[in-house]
Amino acid sequence: MNKGLFLTVEGAEGVGKSTNIAFIRSTLESKGIEVVVTREPGGTDMAEEIRAVLLKNRTEPVAENAELLLMFAARAQHIESLIKPALAAGKWVISDRFTDATYAYQGGGRGVDLDKISVLEQFVQNDFRPDKTILLDAPVEIGMARAHKRGELDRFENEKTAFFERVRRVYLDRMSKEPNRFELIDASKTLQEVQAQLKEVIEKIQSDSVCI
C-alpha cells in the first residue's frame, strides 16, 4: 500500500481556504487519489467540541496559555484519531490549518513566545509534520473585506487589522525558513487565477510524491 500524504492549507482570514480546499480535493480525486479533508481546530468529535470553545465570542478574557493549550489538546486528538490512521491507510489528508496556524495566530497575533509553541509542538507531535503546506496569501485588507462579507465573525475574526498583519508576517517568515515544504499561492487574484496556480502546485506535489 502506498503511503498517504499529509497536505496542509494555511492562510489568514478571507484567503479562500474552504473554496480552494474543495478544488484541491476534486482535482486529486479526479486523479484517483483517495482524500480525507479535515480542519483545525477540529476534525474529530472531541476536537470539534474544543473548537467551539475556542471560537465562541465571550465577555470573559481568554488567557493566552489556555488558548494555546486548547489548540494543542485538539491537535493531539486530531493527529491520533484521524490523521495518522488515514495516512496509514494510504489516503491523502488535507487539513484546513495545522501547527503553522498556531505559530501565526497565537505566536504572531497574540505574541506568545514561539519557543513555548515549539516545546508543545515537539511534545504533542514528536517528529510528525506536514509533507507539504500550501500558503494562500493576500494583503490583510483584501482578506478582511472578504471575511466581513461572509456574515457574523467569530472570536478570532473580530481581531484588529494589526493582529492579522502579525499573523501574515509569521506565515511568510515560516515559509522563508522552510521553502521546500511550502508552496505560495497569490490569493489576491481572481478565483480562476488562484485555481490555475493551485493546479500547477498539485501536479508538482503529486509528481514529487511519486518520486519518493
Side-chain angles (χ1 to χ4, degrees):
M1 181 181 294
N2 292 329
K3 176 183 177 295
L5 185 139
F6 184 30
L7 173 65
T8 58
V9 180
E10 297 281 357
E13 311 310 316
V15 294
K17 286 187 292 83
S18 298
T19 299
N20 288 305
I21 285 171
F23 174 79
I24 295 169
R25 178 180 195 163
S26 64
T27 301
L28 290 172
E29 288 179 339
S30 72
K31 298 172 180 290
I33 296 171
E34 192 170 359
V35 177
V36 173
V37 173
T38 187
R39 66 179 181 177
E40 285 220 343
T44 74
D45 288 346
M46 179 178 173
E48 288 290 335
E49 291 177 18
I50 298 173
R51 178 188 180 89
V53 171
L54 281 163
L55 298 188
K56 181 180 178 181
N57 286 305
R58 61 183 76 244
T59 56
E60 177 185 358
V62 179
E64 290 177 353
N65 284 340
E67 182 177 283
L68 181 63
L69 289 167
L70 284 169
M71 286 289 183
F72 273 103
R75 183 163 298 132
Q77 187 70 16
H78 191 203
I79 291 170
E80 297 303 324
S81 295
L82 188 149
I83 299 174
K84 284 185 175 180
L87 293 174
K91 301 173 184 178
W92 282 39
V93 176
I94 304 172
S95 184
D96 182 343
R97 297 200 173 118
F98 195 62
T99 310
D100 291 303
T102 304
Y103 281 97
Y105 278 77
Q106 281 68 52
R110 302 279 188 230
V112 173
D113 188 340
L114 297 183
D115 288 338
K116 184 186 295 184
I117 298 173
S118 180
V119 168
L120 287 171
E121 179 183 29
Q122 188 62 32
F123 174 70
V124 169
Q125 300 173 219
N126 293 312
D127 60 352
F128 183 74
R129 301 290 187 274
D131 295 300
K132 282 289 184 177
T133 298
I134 293 174
L135 176 59
L136 296 165
D137 177 64
V140 170
E141 61 271 18
I142 292 176
M144 291 311 297
R146 292 172 178 172
H148 278 83
K149 290 180 181 178
R150 295 197 302 246
E152 185 178 354
L153 303 180
D154 63 35
R155 189 170 64 86
F156 287 92
E157 292 169 336
N158 272 312
E159 291 290 344
K160 304 298 183 184
T161 299
F163 176 93
F164 293 108
E165 292 287 3
R166 294 192 297 272
V167 167
R168 186 186 185 203
R169 281 199 298 272
V170 171
Y171 269 135
L172 293 173
D173 181 62
R174 289 183 65 74
M175 182 189 69
S176 70
K177 291 176 178 176
E178 295 186 67
N180 292 331
R181 173 164 70 89
F182 278 86
E183 298 287 348
L184 181 65
I185 300 293
D186 183 353
S188 69
K189 303 290 188 181
T190 66
L191 181 60
Q192 184 178 13
E193 290 171 320
V194 168
Q195 293 184 344
Q197 296 175 69
L198 283 170
K199 187 175 181 180
E200 290 184 8
V201 165
I202 293 165
E203 289 175 354
K204 177 178 180 290
I205 292 172
Q206 186 184 16
S207 176
D208 290 347
S209 71
V210 170
C211 295
I212 293 174

